[in-house]
Amino acid sequence: MAYQIPRGCQDLLPEDSYAWQSIERTLREFCYLYNYDEIRTPIFEHTKVFKRENDSSDMVNKEMYTFQPENSKTSLTIRPEGTAGVVRSFVENKMYSSPDLPVKLFYMGTMARHERPQKGRLRLFNQFGVECLGNKSPYTDVETIVLAYSILKALGLKDLKVCINTLGDEESRKNYRETLKRYFAPYLDELCADCKRRYEQNPLRILDCKVDHEHPCMQNVPKISDYLNDSSQEYFKTVLSLLDELEIPYEVDPGLVRGLDYYTHTVFEIVSLNTEMGAQSTVLAGGRYDNLIPYYGGPADMSGIGWALGMERLLIALEAEGIELEKKPDLDVFVMCLDESARSYAFQTLIELRAYGYRADMDMNGKGFKGQFKAADRAHAHYALLIGENERSQNMITVKNLHTKEQTSILRNDLIIYLDDHMESEHHHQEDSYEKNTL
Ligand code: ATP
Ligand code: MG
């Protein structure tokens, strides 16, 4: 019987792992620059952490992997997103009492949503996200957007669009909700079953419906911007003018409401405009939440903002734009054993190479001379060390540069110095020619 990976899941295969690691390095470096610290929360939480009262989003109502261990009555849910767990931890660990708010956190990890798998839409996928918790300032909103935008630019993406909108504060949202209810009431019969539920729970969600988005009534939906109170308008105006000053290109999208119920004020998405992205073109999305920290038991009126980047969608966007991704690096040294009597001498050399920071390997299966050369070739090794009985008995090593094919014999004790000198000078040589090429 053949075993297969569950639908909507992906293995990260070894050949692709270098691309992921290099992207993760960039993400970490940016967080380091912006003074964000890493947080790791459990991959499952008590179900109620995600299933908030009155939450109308599909993610919470239809897509969660909820389970009960066989010997337990506790309902647990594999995280469908990062924010809930991070805010739960922020409150539980009383991080809100820090004298230096906001607390700036980043996370990366696997999320689970039971959705219909498509390109860019998986059931298990990975997010990198940030949460900035404990203050409310347009500067913080803009800082998180700039962080997101700078990361995607640094990774090489060009076809990007920042879409932004505001949902206003609680009062504005309430105004708007009532307006939407009045507006949609005559069409309610024609909308999908989900929208009927949304109408009661959170009519804003109707604007995000993937079934009804072409219904004629969607043409003239009242805009949130007409229902914002003064302070919400002022807040959003400041956010936009800060983005202008920093020359971050954006587009105000009055229909942008985002898929989760908890957002207030600024919401945003970064979309890849590349045609290969298909329907799943949003690589990153986030917004401010005024009510989440109090919901989890933190101080009333304490706000936060965050975003999450879909790693798999990011990779699709990078590939679509033809951006070269990091591949498995070449080996520095391949150690070749030419006589069985020299094997342990060769093996000791291998271990020493690594102790000095050289990426090195050797065949452990007794391959012949030719087979070992082929293996060195496949590993794109820079140097081969030829070690046979002659070398062993004289404490020598034959070093072969596999690029130039030059070969020389040196004292075993001089090996590291030899490699340090030669790898260094060749490295400089390569850098020189790289500079020439780019001039
Ligand atoms: P969508 O409208 O595409 O369903 P969403 O509003 O559910 O997205 P968020 O919950 O805001 O998305 O998640 C942030 C990011 O995580 C998305 O922009 C996307 O890049 C990624 N993402 C979300 N769901 C999936 C999924 N099922 N598979 C792969 N990536 C996903
Ligand atoms: Mg979704």
Side-chain angles (χ1 to χ4, degrees):
M1 191 181 76
Y3 293 101
Q4 283 181 338
I5 193 167
R7 219 160 93 81
C9 301
Q10 267 179 10
D11 292 314
L12 171 59
L13 295 174
E15 60 261 33
D16 298 324
S17 66
Y18 293 93
W20 279 70
Q21 286 175 19
S22 107
I23 293 167
E24 285 164 6
R25 262 197 307 280
T26 304
L27 294 167
R28 285 178 183 282
E29 273 164 21
F30 270 92
C31 284
Y32 180 79
L33 286 176
Y34 277 68
N35 196 21
Y36 277 74
D37 300 321
E38 184 174 5
I39 182 165
R40 300 187 191 192
T41 61
I43 60 161
F44 57 72
E45 299 267 357
H46 291 295
T47 297
K48 66 178 182 202
V49 170
F50 302 115
K51 207 175 178 63
R52 288 170 295 268
E53 283 160 45
N54 292 323
D55 194 304
S56 68
S57 67
D58 284 357
M59 190 195 80
V60 168
N61 288 288
K62 298 203 290 193
E63 299 171 357
M64 297 217 298
Y65 282 88
T66 295
F67 66 98
Q68 237 173 19
E70 285 191 16
N71 53 1
S72 151
K73 290 200 169 67
T74 311
S75 175
L76 300 167
T77 295
I78 307 177
R79 61 182 175 196
E81 54 127 354
T83 307
V86 170
V87 177
R88 192 268 310 140
S89 175
F90 172 81
V91 174
E92 189 171 350
N93 293 292
K94 300 192 171 55
M95 287 185 237
Y96 51 74
S97 55
S98 160
D100 298 305
L101 294 171
V103 172
K104 300 195 283 184
L105 304 170
F106 76 86
Y107 60 85
M108 43 178 119
T110 303
M111 310 293 156
R113 298 185 194 176
H114 196 262
E115 304 197 65
R116 194 169 68 79
Q118 303 162 56
K119 183 175 182 183
R121 191 175 294 288
L122 295 153
R123 287 179 171 169
L124 273 186
F125 60 98
N126 291 279
Q127 282 185 339
F128 175 92
V130 306
E131 308 294 345
C132 196
L133 302 150
N135 79 329
K136 185 167 169 182
S137 154
Y139 283 92
T140 297
D141 296 37
V142 171
E143 185 189 33
T144 61
I145 296 171
V146 174
L147 171 59
Y149 186 73
S150 311
I151 285 173
L152 297 179
K153 281 281 167 190
L155 290 169
L157 290 179
K158 292 193 178 66
D159 293 346
L160 292 176
K161 190 165 92 177
V162 180
C163 301
I164 188 165
N165 192 24
T166 182
L167 304 178
D169 60 8
E170 204 54 38
E171 186 188 54
S172 313
R173 273 184 60 147
K174 211 168 152 237
N175 262 337
Y176 187 50
R177 260 171 98 109
E178 278 152 22
T179 309
L180 284 181
K181 279 193 130 174
R182 279 196 299 277
Y183 177 81
F184 282 117
Y187 307 105
L188 203 56
D189 282 347
E190 297 160 37
L191 299 181
C192 74
D194 280 328
C195 279
K196 291 191 179 87
R197 174 176 53 82
R198 292 169 183 140
Y199 181 84
E200 297 302 333
Q201 279 187 309
N202 181 3
L204 246 83
R205 292 258 57 75
I206 299 177
L207 305 184
D208 209 24
C209 182
K210 283 159 183 133
V211 178
D212 289 326
H213 70 282
E214 278 176 18
H215 188 286
C217 75
M218 296 295 175
Q219 299 289 321
N220 298 310
V221 180
K223 293 199 167 76
I224 177 96
S225 48
D226 296 329
Y227 298 87
L228 296 173
N229 58 17
D230 288 349
S231 64
S232 297
Q233 263 180 43
E234 198 52 41
Y235 193 95
F236 193 48
K237 244 176 72 188
T238 312
V239 169
L240 297 185
S241 74
L242 291 172
L243 288 171
D244 288 333
E245 280 171 23
L246 295 168
E247 296 182 26
I248 308 284
Y250 62 84
E251 202 178 287
V252 177
D253 176 355
L256 182 67
V257 293
R258 303 287 314 116
L260 294 162
D261 268 7
Y262 50 60
Y263 289 118
T264 49
H265 287 285
T266 316
V267 287
F268 54 93
E269 290 186 354
I270 304 186
V271 176
S272 164
L273 299 174
N274 195 289
T275 49
E276 279 176 47
M277 298 297 290
Q280 276 60 251
S281 58
T282 305
V283 283
L284 180 154
R288 177 165 286 286
Y289 37 83
D290 281 348
N291 306 320
L292 219 44
I293 296 173
Y295 182 89
Y296 290 106
D301 301 328
M302 190 175 265
S303 183
I305 185 169
W307 52 254
L309 161 74
M311 290 291 285
E312 288 80 2
R313 278 194 210 172
L314 169 66
L315 270 135
I316 296 174
L318 291 168
E319 274 162 24
E321 288 200 28
I323 292 158
E324 205 172 313
L325 299 174
E326 191 141 316
K327 297 203 181 62
K328 184 179 168 100
D330 297 345
L331 217 54
D332 294 326
V333 185
F334 196 89
V335 178
M336 293 179 44
C337 171
L338 309 183
D339 298 298
E340 269 322 296
S341 58
R343 183 164 292 279
S344 98
Y345 178 70
F347 185 62
Q348 282 168 36
T349 307
L350 171 72
I351 301 299
E352 186 178 337
L353 282 167
R354 291 162 174 173
Y356 279 91
Y358 284 99
R359 186 170 145 77
D361 214 343
M362 81 184 268
D363 162 62
M364 303 285 176
N365 302 321
K367 276 197 179 109
F369 184 67
K370 253 191 167 160
Q372 292 184 64
F373 252 120
K374 282 189 184 156
D377 222 38
R378 281 191 295 272
H380 303 287
H382 207 114
Y383 287 96
L385 303 188
L386 311 184
I387 300 178
E389 181 50 30
N390 276 346
E391 280 81 3
R392 189 198 67 82
S393 59
Q394 297 169 43
N395 263 314
M396 300 286 287
I397 280 180
T398 303
V399 182
K400 180 165 182 157
N401 182 323
L402 293 174
H403 297 325
T404 63
K405 312 288 177 208
E406 281 167 70
Q407 188 168 315
T408 172
S409 278
I410 60 170
L411 279 171
R412 167 71 177 75
N413 283 344
D414 293 340
L415 174 64
I416 299 300
I417 291 174
Y418 179 91
L419 289 173
D420 285 352
D421 283 353
H422 284 73
M423 297 273 292
E424 174 87 344
S425 67
E426 283 180 42
H427 186 66
H428 282 312
H429 181 71
Q430 272 175 6
E431 272 183 357
D432 283 352
S433 59
Y434 175 73
E435 255 167 51
K436 267 177 223 129
N437 286 338
T438 51
L439 284 176

Coordinates of all heavy atoms in Angstrom, one line a residue, residues 58-59 63 113 115 121 210 313, ligand 2:
D58 N -15.3 32.9 8.1 CA -15.2 31.6 7.6 C -14.2 30.8 8.3 O -14.4 29.6 8.6 CB -14.9 31.5 6.1 CG -16.1 31.9 5.2 OD1 -17.2 32.2 5.8 OD2 -16.0 32.1 4.0
M59 N -13.0 31.4 8.5 CA -11.9 30.7 9.1 C -12.3 30.1 10.4 O -12.1 28.9 10.7 CB -10.8 31.7 9.3 CG -9.5 31.0 9.7 SD -8.3 32.3 10.3 CE -8.9 32.5 12.0
E63 N -13.4 26.5 8.9 CA -12.2 25.9 8.4 C -11.2 25.4 9.5 O -10.1 25.1 9.3 CB -11.4 27.1 7.7 CG -12.2 27.6 6.5 CD -11.6 28.8 5.8 OE1 -10.6 29.4 6.4 OE2 -12.1 29.3 4.8
R113 N -6.0 25.3 8.0 CA -7.3 25.7 7.7 C -7.9 24.7 6.7 O -7.3 24.4 5.7 CB -7.4 27.1 7.0 CG -6.8 28.2 7.9 CD -7.0 29.5 7.2 NE -6.2 30.5 7.9 CZ -6.0 31.8 7.6 NH1 -6.7 32.2 6.5 NH2 -5.3 32.6 8.2
E115 N -9.6 24.3 4.0 CA -10.2 25.0 2.8 C -10.1 24.1 1.6 O -9.4 23.0 1.6 CB -9.3 26.2 2.5 CG -9.2 27.2 3.7 CD -8.7 28.6 3.2 OE1 -9.5 29.2 2.5 OE2 -7.6 29.0 3.6
R121 N -3.4 28.1 -2.2 CA -4.3 27.8 -1.1 C -4.2 26.4 -0.6 O -4.5 25.5 -1.3 CB -5.8 28.1 -1.5 CG -6.8 28.2 -0.4 CD -8.2 28.6 -0.8 NE -8.2 30.0 -1.3 CZ -8.2 31.1 -0.5 NH1 -8.0 30.9 0.8 NH2 -8.3 32.3 -1.0
K210 N -16.9 35.5 -1.5 CA -16.3 35.1 -2.7 C -17.4 34.5 -3.6 O -17.1 34.3 -4.8 CB -15.2 34.1 -2.5 CG -13.9 34.9 -2.0 CD -12.9 34.1 -1.3 CE -11.8 35.0 -0.8 NZ -11.3 34.8 0.5
R313 N 2.7 31.5 -0.8 CA 2.3 32.5 -1.8 C 3.5 33.4 -2.2 O 3.6 33.8 -3.3 CB 1.1 33.3 -1.3 CG -0.2 32.6 -1.6 CD -1.4 33.5 -1.4 NE -2.5 32.7 -0.9 CZ -3.6 33.2 -0.6 NH1 -3.8 34.5 -0.6 NH2 -4.6 32.4 -0.1
Ligands
MG2 MG -9.1 32.8 3.8

